[in-house]
Amino acid sequence: MRIGELASRTGVSVRALRYYEEQRLLTSERSPSGQRVYPDSAVDLVWMIQHLYAAGLPSRSIEPLMPCVMSGEVTPELLDRLRAERERIEGRIDDLVKTRERLDSIISVASRYEGRTCPR
């Protein structure tokens, strides 16, 4: 199938599919006229890439996982990488919670002065 059909079947833009190829997450063959041609299995692969993105993994973390995704084999290395990504995301969540707490504190102080000029 051509790139437009893959985009249509997966709900992913043509531009995103080209980006996936640049990042070595997806591969295509070329027709004699130079157009990208994908196997039917590319639909499931694109959906998996979308799930990995939705789980918070950046493309640089997804690319090393692709051999396992392609083979369907769950290896200790795959699990280690996924667990490391979870720890990275957990760290980001902790940072965001601290940032939210700081903002809540600022809002609380500012609320005391609502309708008045803040002291300097």
Side-chain angles (χ1 to χ4, degrees), residues 101-117:
E101 289 169 354
R102 284 188 217 110
L103 182 56
D104 286 345
S105 177
I106 292 167
I107 290 169
S108 177
V109 170
S111 294
R112 290 186 221 146
Y113 296 96
E114 187 173 3
R116 299 183 288 170
T117 304

Side-chain angles (χ1 to χ4, degrees), residues 1 3-12 38-41 43-44 47:
M1 84 185 80
I3 194 167
E5 183 181 349
L6 181 59
S8 177
R9 288 178 61 184
T10 59
V12 175
Y38 299 91
D40 288 339
S41 61
V43 172
D44 290 334
W47 285 337

Side-chain angles (χ1 to χ4, degrees), residues 45-57:
L45 184 58
V46 169
W47 285 337
M48 177 57 73
I49 293 167
Q50 287 292 293
H51 283 295
L52 293 168
Y53 274 127
L57 278 69

Side-chain angles (χ1 to χ4, degrees), residues 63-83:
E63 192 269 331
L65 302 176
M66 293 314 291
C68 295
V69 170
M70 297 297 290
S71 72
E73 182 181 357
V74 177
T75 64
E77 295 80 16
L78 171 66
L79 292 173
D80 288 345
R81 287 180 187 211
L82 291 173
R83 288 181 182 121

